[in-house]
């Protein structure tokens, strides 16, 4: 799956489906993890990183909530966050834009999250290893 086909994918699913009001489209994440090659790393940083952050924030908000079902929703959001992070190495597989300064800058913006969250370290390190070689 190359970068050109990714721009046609609607990624507005982040909160749809969590409340039963729409199709979540989360089935795309495992497909992206397996089949993305030769895409732009900046696409991941621009489109998927904000979704991962939103899912993490939503999971934290649900954990603080005492509403019925909030723990289950927190688990769903956390799972989605991790699935998004695990697509990162696929985007590092022959990225078309690694030389661009903006892409590298966005990668550095991820570091604080990577350093404090053990679950995120593996996909980030795999991505880094693929880029550096």
């Amino acid at each position: 799956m190359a970068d050109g086909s990714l721009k046609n994918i609607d990624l507005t699913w982040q909160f749809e489906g969590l409340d039963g009001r729409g199709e979540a489209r989360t089935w795309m994440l495992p497909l992206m993890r397996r089949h993305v090659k030769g895409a732009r790393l900046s696409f991941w940083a621009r489109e998927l990183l904000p979704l991962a952050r939103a899912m993490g924030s939503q999971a934290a908000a649900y954990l603080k909530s005492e509403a019925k079902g909030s723990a289950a929703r927190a688990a769903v959001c956390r799972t989605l966050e991790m699935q998004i992070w695990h697509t990162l190495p696929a985007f590092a597989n022959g990225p078309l834009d690694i030389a661009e300064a903006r892409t590298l800058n966005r990668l550095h913006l991820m570091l604080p999250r990577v350093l404090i969250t053990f679950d995120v370290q593996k996909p980030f390190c795999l991505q880094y290893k693929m880029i550096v070689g």
Side-chain angles (χ1 to χ4, degrees), residues 105-125:
N105 192 28
R106 285 188 179 128
L107 292 177
H108 290 291
L109 294 175
M110 293 184 238
L111 284 176
R113 173 77 169 123
V114 170
L115 294 175
I116 63 169
T117 309
F118 178 75
D119 294 340
V120 173
Q121 290 174 359
K122 182 178 178 182
F124 186 84
C125 289

Side-chain angles (χ1 to χ4, degrees), residues 15 18 53-75 77-78 81:
F15 296 110
L18 291 178
R53 287 180 175 160
M55 287 292 109
S57 297
Q58 193 67 26
Y62 280 134
L63 284 175
K64 290 178 183 176
S65 173
E66 295 181 14
K68 183 179 178 182
S70 61
R73 286 183 181 213
C77 290
R78 178 75 173 130
E81 177 190 19

